[in-house]
Amino acid sequence: MVLDRIGDKWSVLVLLSLAPGPMRFTALRGRIGGVTPKVLTQTLRAMEADGLVTREVFAEVPPRVEYELTSLGRSLHEPVSAVATWAENHITEILTSRAQSA
Protein backbone atom coordinates (compact mmCIF):
# COMPACT_ATOMS: atom_id res chain seq x y z
CA MET A 1 0.00 0.00 0.00
CA VAL A 2 2.75 2.47 0.91
CA LEU A 3 4.82 1.43 -2.11
CA ASP A 4 1.84 2.19 -4.33
CA ARG A 5 1.89 5.78 -3.09
CA ILE A 6 5.66 6.13 -3.41
CA GLY A 7 5.63 4.44 -6.82
CA ASP A 8 2.91 6.67 -8.22
CA LYS A 9 4.54 9.19 -10.55
CA TRP A 10 2.18 12.03 -9.65
CA SER A 11 2.73 11.54 -5.91
CA VAL A 12 6.48 11.64 -6.41
CA LEU A 13 6.23 14.82 -8.50
CA VAL A 14 3.94 16.45 -5.91
CA LEU A 15 6.37 15.51 -3.16
CA LEU A 16 9.35 16.95 -5.02
CA SER A 17 7.42 20.08 -6.01
CA LEU A 18 6.21 20.83 -2.48
CA ALA A 19 9.66 20.35 -0.92
CA PRO A 20 10.56 24.07 -1.03
CA GLY A 21 7.38 25.05 0.83
CA PRO A 22 3.63 25.62 0.63
CA MET A 23 2.08 26.05 -2.79
CA ARG A 24 -1.29 26.83 -4.28
CA PHE A 25 -3.02 24.31 -6.55
CA THR A 26 -2.47 26.27 -9.77
CA ALA A 27 1.21 26.88 -9.03
CA LEU A 28 1.67 23.21 -8.15
CA ARG A 29 -0.03 22.12 -11.36
CA GLY A 30 2.16 24.50 -13.36
CA ARG A 31 5.34 23.24 -11.71
CA ILE A 32 4.47 19.60 -12.35
CA GLY A 33 3.14 20.03 -15.89
CA GLY A 34 1.13 17.45 -17.81
CA VAL A 35 -1.20 16.57 -14.94
CA THR A 36 -4.93 17.18 -15.27
CA PRO A 37 -6.72 19.04 -12.48
CA LYS A 38 -8.76 15.91 -11.72
CA VAL A 39 -5.69 13.68 -11.33
CA LEU A 40 -3.85 16.29 -9.26
CA THR A 41 -6.88 16.66 -6.97
CA GLN A 42 -7.10 12.87 -6.54
CA THR A 43 -3.36 12.66 -5.83
CA LEU A 44 -3.46 15.47 -3.27
CA ARG A 45 -6.47 13.93 -1.51
CA ALA A 46 -4.76 10.54 -1.34
CA MET A 47 -1.56 12.10 -0.03
CA GLU A 48 -3.55 14.07 2.53
CA ALA A 49 -5.31 10.88 3.67
CA ASP A 50 -1.89 9.22 4.01
CA GLY A 51 -0.64 12.08 6.17
CA LEU A 52 1.96 13.28 3.66
CA VAL A 53 0.33 16.61 2.76
CA THR A 54 -1.78 19.19 4.56
CA ARG A 55 -4.39 21.38 2.92
CA GLU A 56 -5.04 24.82 4.37
CA VAL A 57 -8.00 26.93 3.28
CA PHE A 58 -7.74 30.67 3.89
CA ALA A 59 -10.95 32.65 4.48
CA GLU A 60 -10.50 35.08 1.61
CA VAL A 61 -12.49 36.08 -1.45
CA PRO A 62 -11.82 34.18 -3.60
CA PRO A 63 -10.82 31.36 -1.25
CA ARG A 64 -7.12 30.51 -1.24
CA VAL A 65 -5.95 26.96 -0.67
CA GLU A 66 -2.34 25.95 -0.03
CA TYR A 67 -0.77 22.52 0.14
CA GLU A 68 2.29 21.70 2.20
CA LEU A 69 4.29 18.61 3.12
CA THR A 70 3.79 17.32 6.64
CA SER A 71 6.76 16.16 8.70
CA LEU A 72 6.02 12.65 7.43
CA GLY A 73 6.03 13.93 3.84
CA ARG A 74 9.29 15.81 4.43
CA SER A 75 10.86 12.62 5.81
CA LEU A 76 9.99 10.89 2.53
CA HIS A 77 11.57 13.64 0.45
CA GLU A 78 15.18 12.55 0.99
CA PRO A 79 14.82 8.95 -0.28
CA VAL A 80 12.56 9.99 -3.17
CA SER A 81 14.96 12.78 -4.10
CA ALA A 82 17.83 10.27 -4.11
CA VAL A 83 15.93 8.03 -6.55
CA ALA A 84 15.09 11.04 -8.75
CA THR A 85 18.75 12.08 -8.81
CA TRP A 86 19.80 8.53 -9.70
CA ALA A 87 17.25 8.49 -12.55
CA GLU A 88 18.50 11.82 -13.90
CA ASN A 89 22.12 10.65 -13.73
CA HIS A 90 21.41 7.38 -15.57
CA ILE A 91 18.71 8.31 -18.08
CA THR A 92 21.13 8.22 -21.03
CA GLU A 93 22.28 4.70 -20.14
CA ILE A 94 18.72 3.50 -19.72
CA LEU A 95 17.55 5.00 -23.02
CA THR A 96 20.57 3.52 -24.81
CA SER A 97 19.84 0.09 -23.35
CA ARG A 98 16.18 0.32 -24.37
CA ALA A 99 17.14 1.30 -27.91
CA GLN A 100 19.55 -1.64 -28.19
CA SER A 101 16.98 -4.16 -27.00
CA ALA A 102 14.19 -2.88 -29.26
Side-chain angles (χ1 to χ4, degrees), residues 3-98:
L3 290 176
D4 285 341
R5 176 72 49 234
I6 297 168
D8 173 61
K9 96 173 181 182
W10 299 119
S11 296
V12 169
L13 292 174
V14 166
L15 183 81
L16 294 172
S17 297
L18 287 177
M23 193 173 292
R24 294 177 73 171
F25 184 90
T26 305
L28 183 58
R29 184 170 175 238
R31 180 173 279 184
I32 292 173
V35 63
T36 65
K38 178 183 176 183
V39 170
L40 182 55
T41 298
Q42 290 171 339
T43 301
L44 287 165
R45 285 181 183 162
M47 292 179 75
E48 187 178 12
D50 289 346
L52 300 172
V53 170
T54 59
R55 178 180 185 266
E56 185 174 2
V57 180
F58 296 88
E60 300 174 356
V61 178
R64 178 170 54 108
V65 178
E66 287 186 347
Y67 296 90
E68 185 174 14
L69 293 177
T70 62
S71 59
L72 183 63
R74 285 190 300 277
S75 74
L76 182 57
H77 178 262
E78 185 178 341
V80 167
S81 182
V83 171
T85 299
W86 181 90
E88 290 170 6
N89 291 338
H90 294 85
I91 187 67
T92 303
E93 295 168 71
I94 292 168
L95 294 176
T96 301
S97 181
R98 284 184 184 177

